[in-house]
Amino acid sequence: MRRVVVTGLGAVTPLAVGVRQTWRRLLDGHCGIKSIKDRSPQFAALPSQVAGVVPIGSRENGGWTAKEWLQPGDERKMALFAQYAMASAEEALNDAGWSPESPEDLEATGVYIGSGIGSLDDVVDTTLAYEKGGYRKVSPLFVPRLLINLAAGHISMRYGFKGPNHAATTACTTGVHAIGDAARMVAFGDADVMVSGGAESCIHPLAIAGFARARSLATDWNESPHEASRPFDRTRAGFVIGEGAGVVVLEELEHAKARGANIYAEVKGYGLSSDAHHMTAPREDGEGPFLAMKRALKNAGIKPAAVDYVNAHATSTVLGDAAENRAIKTLLLGEDGKRHAQEINVSSTKGAVGHLLGAAGAVEAIFTVLAIQEGVLPPTLNLTQPGDPPEEFDCNYVPQTAQQHQVEVALSNSFGFGGTNASICLAKYEK
Ligand SMILES: *[C@@H]1O[C@H](CO)[C@@H](O)[C@H](O)[C@H]1NC(C)=O
Ligand SMILES: *[C@@H]1O[C@H](CO)[C@@H](O)[C@H](O)[C@H]1NC(C)=O
Ligand SMILES: *[C@@H]1O[C@H](CO)[C@@H](O)[C@H](O)[C@H]1NC(C)=O
């Protein structure tokens, strides 16, 4: 099987626009979650009034200004999730030094970007306009802005990539599914290079209302937004919605070596599973995530005992974090009793950025790649008392501050509504 490596990274997150600035702020313990109640009376009437919002500002300072990333006309043509994807793809491709011009290279490069929800703004605004004004009020750009696969579509049009052009939409598992599937396309020879990841931007009152009705969101920290997302903490009580995008350049190993590309890490394995249980609630025993992680390691040919770090999906919900915690322990403690839970290193970066839904898995895969590259475990913010009960939550969750530790092998997990679970195994590249 052809080996697949990561050669470029790009991200737009609530911490910053750009991978380096995001990572620096994450390691420094910054939080990208803020109050959104002043955005409109509709937001102010919702039970959850906090969100991980991409900061507005200049590109130089790690802020978002659409004009600095997009071409004239793009803002009309592309919904915000696709704009974030476009910006992240540009950063990732520059980082990888991959700007092909020959027909062969363009044909060997593909794009695979997913989104969980896409553009609710366009759905709502167009619905209201249509109700009032009828047919003539529907924009010719409505459908292209709406379609999830148009993030990938626009990126391939911009660069002329003629390889696979694909999109997953599997709720909050989207980002990992996109990267995992794309890695398989490279391994199978459908492409030599894949630009892949996830994007999301649906901080809309209707989305928040829906998630709040499903009782998924944190509602107790509207006055202290930085404390709202607290994965693994005893007092966690729901996730915080976030927006952004993560894009990686995946490349066949020999292709990367031949052009002298910088190799961040290798994609060693990918595992998918289903809870087959409930629309939104996990099984308590964490069987779904357990199977996903187990399959990712089997696919990688790596034993559970070799895993140095897990970037958890942990969204800060009572049931989800507990089930994942159980699954991680069941898998990584093994049966020989030699390993103690305290030696298992797992953190959830959602304390800092919230839950980026369809972008979460991609952004977190990037954090995992950087943990491997730099030998540092990113922190779980706001974790003061793991639980409940504390004896169940006895791993090292990297509370509050980053920890230096060599990471050779890591897992990054993502789980979504509908019971879909996935895990990707990333490792230090070794000849
Ligand atoms: C977890 O990290 C700590 C340092 O923070 C390290 O001492 C320990 O060996 C790590 N465990 C594993 C399994 O890598
Ligand atoms: C939550 O995280 C923020 C950002 O790091 C920090 O300022 C705050 O002190 C944390 N709160 C708790 C209770 O740990
Ligand atoms: C597996 O995916 C399903 C969907 O969210 C999800 O309900 C469940 O939380 C996941 N499993 C766990 C234990 O997180």
Side-chain angles (χ1 to χ4, degrees), residues 406-429:
Q406 278 301 109
V407 181
E408 304 282 334
V409 178
L411 290 170
S412 185
N413 290 341
S414 279
F415 313 132
F417 280 1
T420 179
N421 309 86
S423 182
I424 192 162
C425 177
L426 295 153
K428 196 160 265 181
Y429 164 64

Side-chain angles (χ1 to χ4, degrees), residues 1 35 69 113 127 130 164 199 213 225 259 266 284 301 315 331 336 362 387 392 398 419 426:
M1 192 59 82
S35 172
W69 291 93
I113 310 274
T127 304
Y130 184 58
R213 280 287 187 201
R259 65 181 192 91
E266 179 168 357
E284 255 183 51
T315 62
L331 183 70
D336 61 6
E392 265 289 313
V398 198
L426 295 153

Side-chain angles (χ1 to χ4, degrees), residues 29 31 226-227 230 381-382 384 400:
C31 181
H226 284 177
E227 313 213 324
R230 37 182 57 239
L381 292 195
N382 289 314
T384 46
Q400 314 279 11

Side-chain angles (χ1 to χ4, degrees), residues 120-144:
L120 265 187
D121 284 277
D122 282 286
V123 178
V124 173
D125 294 351
T126 305
T127 304
L128 294 176
Y130 184 58
E131 275 294 307
K132 257 169 92 181
Y135 171 67
R136 301 192 131 277
K137 291 293 171 193
V138 179
S139 159
L141 291 172
F142 172 56
V143 174

Side-chain angles (χ1 to χ4, degrees), residues 305 307-309 339 342-345 377 396 403-406:
V307 176
D308 300 301
Y309 169 63
R339 209 177 195 190
Q342 294 84 339
E343 296 166 34
I344 295 178
N345 293 320
L377 311 176
N396 169 24
Q403 296 174 6
Q404 301 296 321
H405 180 57
Q406 278 301 109

